[in-house]
Amino acid sequence: MPDSHGESGAGTGTAGGADAARALPLAGLRVLDLTLARAGPTCVRHLADWGADIVRIEPPPRDGTDGDGITGDRDGFDYQNLHRNKRALRLDLKHPDGHAAFLRLAATADILVENMRVPVKHRLRIADSDLRPLNPRLIYASISGFGQTGPYAGRGGVDQIAQGMGGLMSITGEPGRGPMRVGIPVNDLSAGNLLALAVVMALYERERTGRGRYVHTSLLETEVFMLDFQASRWLMDGEVAGQAGNDHPTNIPMGVFPTADRPINIAASSPKLWEAFCHAAERPDWLAEPGWQTPEGRSADRARVNAAIAGATRARPSEWWIAALEAAGIPCGPINTIDQVFADPQVRHLGMAMPYRHPRRGETHLVASPIRMEGHETGVRLPVPGPGEHGDEILAEAGLSRDEIGQLRSKGVI
């Protein structure tokens, strides 16, 4: 297991609770977290890590499970990584008294984040249109599968469905092998990241106008946006990209090449880098090879270029190549397994394995925030809460009396 706290001042482990939160950039903001699965919680994790007071609202237990049924058990690696730095309240939004209590919370909240199916929030009467008259300053943030309106708005969506419908699987993998998913939930994560950006933009606007804003994105929109140059390649030049395996779709040479011990990545596609690579590989004759003098020529002769490079790189081990190419200013690097990633000296220096004392699992690690803000330090101020752990204090903060809270509990609303 990793044992480094990092040297950069970020992600240095369990922090000092409420006192630490008050010093962070989002201190003082109250967030109602109605998210499930991964996309919504990814957005909320940014807000939580940087100091917002997160109130996670979960439904009362109905099936005996102690997680969300998607990201695993509450003490498991996935749930723990997604839901740190939060307080928790169990609340039955379908019950009239639960809905009324929720409105009390929403009346003074700064931000609400949800990723329900579009019809669900309207059926529960907790949509932006329901809350806006109650709290005009509220930033209401949503992630859906396919958008808040349109022919697919009512559909449920998950990451892999969006990878397929948004084109990513058609350009991932080796030519002729059929569609291939990316090895992480790239749409869930990217949609959560983009929604967090939208929330901060809306907060900045609220400073000027005094009014909140409804912000939203979807897995499908995110995937189309993330196609980036492959999308504009079609829109502007009419080219439909296909699978290119480990080769870059348009830049050559850029891809995976064998060495005497293990494969490495090499990126030497620009004229300057290509010339430097030929000299570093001790093959200056490649510079005179017909058709290889230009990126376009190398692209047209990709198979022969790659075969020639592979023949050269197989002769020496990966460490020799990485040292030689780095000395020549050519981007390159090993292809690490996950355990090798966290053993890498730069990853250790950056503190990406964040130390964490779990109340039941003991000393362990979570994935640190990748955002660096000089003068501020993130960490785990609050471990993942137990089911409804902070219910009484959260409802009391919303103005409910002890008797009112007791009545909600007696009715099974909390």
Side-chain angles (χ1 to χ4, degrees):
M1 289 295 292
D3 59 8
S4 170
H5 289 203
E7 302 167 18
S8 65
T12 54
T14 303
D19 290 340
R22 280 193 285 270
L24 291 170
L26 300 182
L29 293 173
R30 172 69 62 85
V31 180
L32 301 184
D33 175 13
L34 290 159
T35 66
L36 294 170
R38 190 176 314 282
T42 296
C43 169
V44 176
R45 180 172 55 188
H46 286 298
L47 308 178
D49 281 353
W50 290 97
D53 175 20
I54 310 296
V55 173
R56 178 161 178 76
I57 299 175
E58 301 172 319
R62 301 193 187 282
D63 57 5
T65 61
D66 190 24
D68 64 8
I70 300 171
T71 55
D73 183 82
R74 191 175 294 262
D75 281 348
F77 61 87
D78 202 1
Y79 199 97
Q80 288 286 312
N81 198 50
L82 282 170
H83 295 294
R84 66 225 191 183
N85 292 327
K86 300 180 179 183
R87 297 188 294 161
L89 163 69
R90 277 186 161 169
L91 188 62
D92 186 354
L93 298 176
K94 297 178 181 179
H95 192 286
D97 291 344
H99 183 263
F102 172 79
L103 294 182
R104 299 274 288 272
L105 294 169
T108 57
D110 294 287
I111 302 160
L112 182 149
V113 185
E114 61 86 19
N115 60 333
M116 305 173 185
R117 289 195 186 200
V118 173
V120 173
K121 57 177 169 283
H122 292 284
R123 187 165 63 245
L124 291 173
R125 295 176 293 120
I126 58 170
D128 175 71
S129 55
D130 299 306
L131 304 183
R132 184 67 49 199
L134 179 69
N135 183 356
R137 290 177 53 82
L138 182 68
I139 310 298
Y140 193 109
S142 299
I143 295 176
S144 62
F146 303 99
Q148 298 297 312
T149 58
Y152 301 166
R155 292 188 187 181
V158 297
D159 179 88
Q160 187 158 338
I161 304 303
Q163 286 196 34
M165 294 179 68
L168 182 60
M169 292 176 68
S170 75
I171 58 174
T172 303
E174 297 178 342
R177 295 286 298 273
M180 181 68 65
R181 72 181 293 274
V182 175
I184 59 170
V186 62
N187 295 295
D188 283 343
L189 298 173
S190 298
N193 294 339
L194 291 171
L195 191 67
L197 173 61
V199 166
V200 174
M201 290 164 59
L203 286 169
Y204 182 74
E205 182 188 44
R206 192 177 75 175
E207 289 296 304
R208 299 196 319 271
T209 67
R211 297 187 63 82
R213 178 76 65 176
Y214 184 26
V215 297
H216 50 88
T217 189
S218 68
L219 302 186
L220 182 60
E221 289 168 281
T222 294
E223 177 48 66
V224 174
F225 172 77
M226 293 291 286
L227 289 176
D228 197 61
F229 73 92
Q230 296 283 43
S232 61
R233 184 178 175 187
W234 157 250
L235 292 172
M236 297 187 70
D237 292 345
E239 296 180 7
V240 178
Q243 294 166 303
N246 286 322
D247 291 324
H248 190 279
T250 58
N251 297 336
I252 293 108
M254 186 182 297
V256 176
F257 295 94
T259 71
D261 53 356
R262 61 170 177 158
I264 61 173
N265 277 310
I266 300 173
S269 59
S270 73
K272 180 180 178 181
L273 289 175
W274 170 246
E275 181 177 359
F277 176 75
C278 292
H279 288 296
E282 301 174 354
R283 292 299 305 268
D285 56 301
W286 288 346
L287 295 171
E289 185 71 24
W292 291 11
Q293 287 84 10
T294 66
E296 294 77 14
R298 293 192 295 277
S299 179
D301 202 11
R302 179 201 293 264
R304 204 162 65 91
V305 172
N306 283 352
I309 294 172
T313 54
R314 282 193 183 96
R316 292 186 170 104
S318 57
E319 287 190 6
W320 186 94
W321 281 107
I322 291 171
L325 296 178
E326 278 292 323
I330 299 164
C332 61
I335 299 170
N336 291 327
T337 57
I338 304 299
D339 57 326
Q340 291 170 333
V341 170
F342 286 101
D344 183 277
Q346 183 65 23
V347 174
R348 291 168 65 88
H349 168 80
L350 294 171
M352 290 306 297
M354 180 171 62
Y356 169 46
R357 179 182 289 278
H358 184 272
R360 287 169 294 282
R361 298 185 61 162
E363 296 292 343
T364 184
H365 295 79
L366 298 175
V367 183
S369 172
I371 299 170
R372 301 297 189 229
M373 187 172 292
E374 293 296 321
H376 287 296
E377 179 179 315
T378 64
V380 182
R381 303 178 309 279
L382 295 171
V384 171
E389 180 178 337
H390 306 95
D392 285 15
E393 70 181 54
I394 291 168
L395 292 172
E397 290 167 3
L400 276 74
S401 68
R402 183 177 300 178
D403 287 345
E404 289 175 309
I405 295 171
Q407 290 173 14
L408 292 175
R409 180 166 287 106
S410 68
K411 295 176 183 179
V413 176
I414 60 174

PDB file of all heavy atoms in Angstrom, residues 5 8 39 50 72 94-95 137 152 177 185 226 233 241-242 257 275 288 290 335 354 377-378 409:
ATOM      1  N   HIS A   5       2.644  10.698   2.039  1.00  0.00           N
ATOM      2  CA  HIS A   5       1.660  11.760   2.183  1.00  0.00           C
ATOM      3  C   HIS A   5       1.805  12.806   1.103  1.00  0.00           C
ATOM      4  O   HIS A   5       1.040  13.760   1.065  1.00  0.00           O
ATOM      5  CB  HIS A   5       1.807  12.446   3.551  1.00  0.00           C
ATOM      6  CG  HIS A   5       1.366  11.602   4.685  1.00  0.00           C
ATOM      7  ND1 HIS A   5       0.986  12.124   5.876  1.00  0.00           N
ATOM      8  CD2 HIS A   5       1.245  10.257   4.813  1.00  0.00           C
ATOM      9  CE1 HIS A   5       0.659  11.147   6.724  1.00  0.00           C
ATOM     10  NE2 HIS A   5       0.817  10.013   6.096  1.00  0.00           N
ATOM     11  N   SER A   8       3.407  18.082  -1.829  1.00  0.00           N
ATOM     12  CA  SER A   8       2.919  19.286  -2.494  1.00  0.00           C
ATOM     13  C   SER A   8       2.011  20.127  -1.623  1.00  0.00           C
ATOM     14  O   SER A   8       1.615  21.211  -1.999  1.00  0.00           O
ATOM     15  CB  SER A   8       2.160  18.891  -3.757  1.00  0.00           C
ATOM     16  OG  SER A   8       1.002  18.166  -3.412  1.00  0.00           O
ATOM     17  N   ALA A  39     -22.020   9.876 -11.278  1.00  0.00           N
ATOM     18  CA  ALA A  39     -21.890  11.186 -11.919  1.00  0.00           C
ATOM     19  C   ALA A  39     -22.213  12.317 -10.946  1.00  0.00           C
ATOM     20  O   ALA A  39     -21.422  13.254 -10.770  1.00  0.00           O
ATOM     21  CB  ALA A  39     -22.792  11.259 -13.149  1.00  0.00           C
ATOM     22  N   TRP A  50     -13.603  20.818  -0.997  1.00  0.00           N
ATOM     23  CA  TRP A  50     -13.152  22.202  -0.899  1.00  0.00           C
ATOM     24  C   TRP A  50     -13.983  23.031   0.068  1.00  0.00           C
ATOM     25  O   TRP A  50     -14.022  24.239  -0.016  1.00  0.00           O
ATOM     26  CB  TRP A  50     -13.077  22.823  -2.297  1.00  0.00           C
ATOM     27  CG  TRP A  50     -11.947  22.201  -3.061  1.00  0.00           C
ATOM     28  CD1 TRP A  50     -12.008  21.179  -3.965  1.00  0.00           C
ATOM     29  CD2 TRP A  50     -10.558  22.506  -2.910  1.00  0.00           C
ATOM     30  NE1 TRP A  50     -10.764  20.840  -4.405  1.00  0.00           N
ATOM     31  CE2 TRP A  50      -9.846  21.632  -3.776  1.00  0.00           C
ATOM     32  CE3 TRP A  50      -9.851  23.424  -2.143  1.00  0.00           C
ATOM     33  CZ2 TRP A  50      -8.453  21.666  -3.878  1.00  0.00           C
ATOM     34  CZ3 TRP A  50      -8.460  23.457  -2.253  1.00  0.00           C
ATOM     35  CH2 TRP A  50      -7.783  22.585  -3.115  1.00  0.00           C
ATOM     36  N   GLY A  72     -21.771   0.003  -4.265  1.00  0.00           N
ATOM     37  CA  GLY A  72     -21.366  -0.961  -3.266  1.00  0.00           C
ATOM     38  C   GLY A  72     -21.720  -0.586  -1.845  1.00  0.00           C
ATOM     39  O   GLY A  72     -22.390   0.400  -1.564  1.00  0.00           O
ATOM     40  N   LYS A  94     -41.257  11.018  -0.269  1.00  0.00           N
ATOM     41  CA  LYS A  94     -42.594  10.672  -0.758  1.00  0.00           C
ATOM     42  C   LYS A  94     -43.665  10.929   0.300  1.00  0.00           C
ATOM     43  O   LYS A  94     -44.850  11.044  -0.030  1.00  0.00           O
ATOM     44  CB  LYS A  94     -42.627   9.204  -1.189  1.00  0.00           C
ATOM     45  CG  LYS A  94     -41.688   8.884  -2.348  1.00  0.00           C
ATOM     46  CD  LYS A  94     -41.740   7.404  -2.693  1.00  0.00           C
ATOM     47  CE  LYS A  94     -40.782   7.082  -3.833  1.00  0.00           C
ATOM     48  NZ  LYS A  94     -40.801   5.640  -4.175  1.00  0.00           N
ATOM     49  N   HIS A  95     -43.269  11.004   1.547  1.00  0.00           N
ATOM     50  CA  HIS A  95     -44.209  11.261   2.637  1.00  0.00           C
ATOM     51  C   HIS A  95     -44.458  12.765   2.738  1.00  0.00           C
ATOM     52  O   HIS A  95     -43.519  13.559   2.633  1.00  0.00           O
ATOM     53  CB  HIS A  95     -43.632  10.731   3.952  1.00  0.00           C
ATOM     54  CG  HIS A  95     -44.612  10.675   5.076  1.00  0.00           C
ATOM     55  ND1 HIS A  95     -45.049  11.804   5.752  1.00  0.00           N
ATOM     56  CD2 HIS A  95     -45.239   9.614   5.658  1.00  0.00           C
ATOM     57  CE1 HIS A  95     -45.890  11.447   6.693  1.00  0.00           C
ATOM     58  NE2 HIS A  95     -46.031  10.113   6.662  1.00  0.00           N
ATOM     59  N   ARG A 137     -32.273  32.181  -4.543  1.00  0.00           N
ATOM     60  CA  ARG A 137     -30.806  32.164  -4.579  1.00  0.00           C
ATOM     61  C   ARG A 137     -30.236  30.765  -4.808  1.00  0.00           C
ATOM     62  O   ARG A 137     -29.027  30.592  -4.957  1.00  0.00           O
ATOM     63  CB  ARG A 137     -30.231  32.722  -3.267  1.00  0.00           C
ATOM     64  CG  ARG A 137     -30.434  34.205  -3.090  1.00  0.00           C
ATOM     65  CD  ARG A 137     -29.905  34.686  -1.732  1.00  0.00           C
ATOM     66  NE  ARG A 137     -28.519  34.304  -1.486  1.00  0.00           N
ATOM     67  CZ  ARG A 137     -27.463  34.952  -1.955  1.00  0.00           C
ATOM     68  NH1 ARG A 137     -27.630  36.033  -2.724  1.00  0.00           N
ATOM     69  NH2 ARG A 137     -26.231  34.540  -1.682  1.00  0.00           N
ATOM     70  N   TYR A 152     -35.342  11.861 -25.677  1.00  0.00           N
ATOM     71  CA  TYR A 152     -34.780  10.859 -24.781  1.00  0.00           C
ATOM     72  C   TYR A 152     -34.789  11.313 -23.323  1.00  0.00           C
ATOM     73  O   TYR A 152     -34.220  10.637 -22.451  1.00  0.00           O
ATOM     74  CB  TYR A 152     -33.332  10.548 -25.154  1.00  0.00           C
ATOM     75  CG  TYR A 152     -33.095  10.021 -26.543  1.00  0.00           C
ATOM     76  CD1 TYR A 152     -31.808   9.977 -27.067  1.00  0.00           C
ATOM     77  CD2 TYR A 152     -34.133   9.565 -27.338  1.00  0.00           C
ATOM     78  CE1 TYR A 152     -31.567   9.498 -28.343  1.00  0.00           C
ATOM     79  CE2 TYR A 152     -33.908   9.089 -28.616  1.00  0.00           C
ATOM     80  CZ  TYR A 152     -32.618   9.063 -29.118  1.00  0.00           C
ATOM     81  OH  TYR A 152     -32.385   8.593 -30.386  1.00  0.00           O
ATOM     82  N   ARG A 177     -11.782  -5.131 -34.367  1.00  0.00           N
ATOM     83  CA  ARG A 177     -12.114  -5.936 -33.187  1.00  0.00           C
ATOM     84  C   ARG A 177     -13.503  -5.621 -32.637  1.00  0.00           C
ATOM     85  O   ARG A 177     -13.936  -6.223 -31.661  1.00  0.00           O
ATOM     86  CB  ARG A 177     -11.059  -5.707 -32.094  1.00  0.00           C
ATOM     87  CG  ARG A 177      -9.672  -6.186 -32.439  1.00  0.00           C
ATOM     88  CD  ARG A 177      -9.562  -7.694 -32.389  1.00  0.00           C
ATOM     89  NE  ARG A 177      -9.828  -8.213 -31.069  1.00  0.00           N
ATOM     90  CZ  ARG A 177      -8.895  -8.333 -30.122  1.00  0.00           C
ATOM     91  NH1 ARG A 177      -7.637  -7.958 -30.373  1.00  0.00           N
ATOM     92  NH2 ARG A 177      -9.194  -8.828 -28.950  1.00  0.00           N
ATOM     93  N   PRO A 185     -15.418   4.910 -16.013  1.00  0.00           N
ATOM     94  CA  PRO A 185     -16.699   5.529 -16.374  1.00  0.00           C
ATOM     95  C   PRO A 185     -16.487   6.992 -16.776  1.00  0.00           C
ATOM     96  O   PRO A 185     -16.822   7.919 -16.048  1.00  0.00           O
ATOM     97  CB  PRO A 185     -17.539   5.385 -15.106  1.00  0.00           C
ATOM     98  CG  PRO A 185     -16.530   5.366 -14.004  1.00  0.00           C
ATOM     99  CD  PRO A 185     -15.325   4.658 -14.555  1.00  0.00           C
ATOM    100  N   MET A 226     -16.688  15.479 -25.182  1.00  0.00           N
ATOM    101  CA  MET A 226     -15.396  14.842 -24.961  1.00  0.00           C
ATOM    102  C   MET A 226     -14.830  14.205 -26.222  1.00  0.00           C
ATOM    103  O   MET A 226     -13.646  13.868 -26.279  1.00  0.00           O
ATOM    104  CB  MET A 226     -15.526  13.790 -23.853  1.00  0.00           C
ATOM    105  CG  MET A 226     -15.824  14.369 -22.478  1.00  0.00           C
ATOM    106  SD  MET A 226     -14.458  15.302 -21.775  1.00  0.00           S
ATOM    107  CE  MET A 226     -13.371  13.950 -21.323  1.00  0.00           C
ATOM    108  N   ARG A 233     -13.564  16.931 -36.407  1.00  0.00           N
ATOM    109  CA  ARG A 233     -13.053  16.283 -37.625  1.00  0.00           C
ATOM    110  C   ARG A 233     -14.202  15.916 -38.554  1.00  0.00           C
ATOM    111  O   ARG A 233     -14.123  16.077 -39.777  1.00  0.00           O
ATOM    112  CB  ARG A 233     -12.265  15.040 -37.199  1.00  0.00           C
ATOM    113  CG  ARG A 233     -11.558  14.275 -38.293  1.00  0.00           C
ATOM    114  CD  ARG A 233     -10.816  13.115 -37.624  1.00  0.00           C
ATOM    115  NE  ARG A 233     -10.183  12.237 -38.595  1.00  0.00           N
ATOM    116  CZ  ARG A 233      -9.585  11.090 -38.279  1.00  0.00           C
ATOM    117  NH1 ARG A 233      -9.544  10.712 -37.000  1.00  0.00           N
ATOM    118  NH2 ARG A 233      -9.027  10.331 -39.206  1.00  0.00           N
ATOM    119  N   ALA A 241     -14.176   9.097 -37.882  1.00  0.00           N
ATOM    120  CA  ALA A 241     -13.035   8.405 -37.285  1.00  0.00           C
ATOM    121  C   ALA A 241     -13.377   6.958 -36.998  1.00  0.00           C
ATOM    122  O   ALA A 241     -14.517   6.613 -36.675  1.00  0.00           O
ATOM    123  CB  ALA A 241     -12.624   9.112 -35.998  1.00  0.00           C
ATOM    124  N   GLY A 242     -12.389   6.109 -37.117  1.00  0.00           N
ATOM    125  CA  GLY A 242     -12.529   4.710 -36.751  1.00  0.00           C
ATOM    126  C   GLY A 242     -11.616   4.356 -35.608  1.00  0.00           C
ATOM    127  O   GLY A 242     -11.041   5.226 -34.950  1.00  0.00           O
ATOM    128  N   PHE A 257       4.947   1.088 -28.195  1.00  0.00           N
ATOM    129  CA  PHE A 257       5.992   0.370 -28.917  1.00  0.00           C
ATOM    130  C   PHE A 257       6.670  -0.612 -27.973  1.00  0.00           C
ATOM    131  O   PHE A 257       6.863  -0.332 -26.780  1.00  0.00           O
ATOM    132  CB  PHE A 257       7.008   1.360 -29.491  1.00  0.00           C
ATOM    133  CG  PHE A 257       6.409   2.260 -30.540  1.00  0.00           C
ATOM    134  CD1 PHE A 257       5.909   3.505 -30.188  1.00  0.00           C
ATOM    135  CD2 PHE A 257       6.323   1.852 -31.856  1.00  0.00           C
ATOM    136  CE1 PHE A 257       5.332   4.331 -31.139  1.00  0.00           C
ATOM    137  CE2 PHE A 257       5.756   2.669 -32.823  1.00  0.00           C
ATOM    138  CZ  PHE A 257       5.260   3.909 -32.462  1.00  0.00           C
ATOM    139  N   GLU A 275      12.614  14.404 -35.862  1.00  0.00           N
ATOM    140  CA  GLU A 275      14.050  14.488 -36.117  1.00  0.00           C
ATOM    141  C   GLU A 275      14.840  14.076 -34.878  1.00  0.00           C
ATOM    142  O   GLU A 275      15.811  13.307 -34.968  1.00  0.00           O
ATOM    143  CB  GLU A 275      14.431  15.903 -36.537  1.00  0.00           C
ATOM    144  CG  GLU A 275      15.915  16.060 -36.834  1.00  0.00           C
ATOM    145  CD  GLU A 275      16.282  17.457 -37.318  1.00  0.00           C
ATOM    146  OE1 GLU A 275      15.362  18.302 -37.440  1.00  0.00           O
ATOM    147  OE2 GLU A 275      17.479  17.690 -37.559  1.00  0.00           O
ATOM    148  N   ALA A 288      15.700  10.502 -44.188  1.00  0.00           N
ATOM    149  CA  ALA A 288      15.775  10.564 -45.647  1.00  0.00           C
ATOM    150  C   ALA A 288      14.849   9.560 -46.324  1.00  0.00           C
ATOM    151  O   ALA A 288      14.806   9.496 -47.562  1.00  0.00           O
ATOM    152  CB  ALA A 288      17.218  10.314 -46.092  1.00  0.00           C
ATOM    153  N   PRO A 290      11.956   8.055 -48.173  1.00  0.00           N
ATOM    154  CA  PRO A 290      10.929   8.691 -49.016  1.00  0.00           C
ATOM    155  C   PRO A 290       9.543   8.661 -48.359  1.00  0.00           C
ATOM    156  O   PRO A 290       9.079   7.617 -47.895  1.00  0.00           O
ATOM    157  CB  PRO A 290      10.959   7.843 -50.285  1.00  0.00           C
ATOM    158  CG  PRO A 290      12.333   7.266 -50.332  1.00  0.00           C
ATOM    159  CD  PRO A 290      12.708   7.022 -48.900  1.00  0.00           C
ATOM    160  N   ILE A 335       4.027   2.004 -19.241  1.00  0.00           N
ATOM    161  CA  ILE A 335       2.601   1.693 -19.157  1.00  0.00           C
ATOM    162  C   ILE A 335       2.402   0.934 -17.859  1.00  0.00           C
ATOM    163  O   ILE A 335       2.724  -0.252 -17.747  1.00  0.00           O
ATOM    164  CB  ILE A 335       2.146   0.881 -20.381  1.00  0.00           C
ATOM    165  CG1 ILE A 335       2.376   1.707 -21.647  1.00  0.00           C
ATOM    166  CG2 ILE A 335       0.682   0.481 -20.253  1.00  0.00           C
ATOM    167  CD1 ILE A 335       2.201   0.952 -22.938  1.00  0.00           C
ATOM    168  N   MET A 354      -4.312   9.536  -0.656  1.00  0.00           N
ATOM    169  CA  MET A 354      -4.560  10.379   0.510  1.00  0.00           C
ATOM    170  C   MET A 354      -4.802   9.512   1.748  1.00  0.00           C
ATOM    171  O   MET A 354      -5.755   8.731   1.794  1.00  0.00           O
ATOM    172  CB  MET A 354      -5.784  11.262   0.236  1.00  0.00           C
ATOM    173  CG  MET A 354      -6.160  12.199   1.359  1.00  0.00           C
ATOM    174  SD  MET A 354      -7.445  13.370   0.830  1.00  0.00           S
ATOM    175  CE  MET A 354      -8.813  12.248   0.450  1.00  0.00           C
ATOM    176  N   GLU A 377      -5.391  23.322   1.628  1.00  0.00           N
ATOM    177  CA  GLU A 377      -5.097  21.901   1.677  1.00  0.00           C
ATOM    178  C   GLU A 377      -6.392  21.137   1.889  1.00  0.00           C
ATOM    179  O   GLU A 377      -7.160  21.437   2.800  1.00  0.00           O
ATOM    180  CB  GLU A 377      -4.119  21.626   2.824  1.00  0.00           C
ATOM    181  CG  GLU A 377      -3.739  20.182   3.008  1.00  0.00           C
ATOM    182  CD  GLU A 377      -2.748  20.009   4.150  1.00  0.00           C
ATOM    183  OE1 GLU A 377      -1.792  20.799   4.232  1.00  0.00           O
ATOM    184  OE2 GLU A 377      -2.955  19.082   4.970  1.00  0.00           O
ATOM    185  N   THR A 378      -6.628  20.149   1.041  1.00  0.00           N
ATOM    186  CA  THR A 378      -7.812  19.317   1.213  1.00  0.00           C
ATOM    187  C   THR A 378      -7.446  18.059   1.989  1.00  0.00           C
ATOM    188  O   THR A 378      -6.279  17.724   2.161  1.00  0.00           O
ATOM    189  CB  THR A 378      -8.417  18.919  -0.139  1.00  0.00           C
ATOM    190  OG1 THR A 378      -7.478  18.118  -0.851  1.00  0.00           O
ATOM    191  CG2 THR A 378      -8.779  20.135  -0.957  1.00  0.00           C
ATOM    192  N   ARG A 409     -39.633  10.871  13.223  1.00  0.00           N
ATOM    193  CA  ARG A 409     -39.036   9.565  13.472  1.00  0.00           C
ATOM    194  C   ARG A 409     -40.114   8.522  13.782  1.00  0.00           C
ATOM    195  O   ARG A 409     -40.042   7.383  13.310  1.00  0.00           O
ATOM    196  CB  ARG A 409     -38.026   9.663  14.613  1.00  0.00           C
ATOM    197  CG  ARG A 409     -37.350   8.333  14.925  1.00  0.00           C
ATOM    198  CD  ARG A 409     -36.122   8.476  15.814  1.00  0.00           C
ATOM    199  NE  ARG A 409     -35.011   9.054  15.053  1.00  0.00           N
ATOM    200  CZ  ARG A 409     -34.587  10.308  15.199  1.00  0.00           C
ATOM    201  NH1 ARG A 409     -35.185  11.116  16.058  1.00  0.00           N
ATOM    202  NH2 ARG A 409     -33.578  10.750  14.487  1.00  0.00           N
TER     203      ARG A 409
END
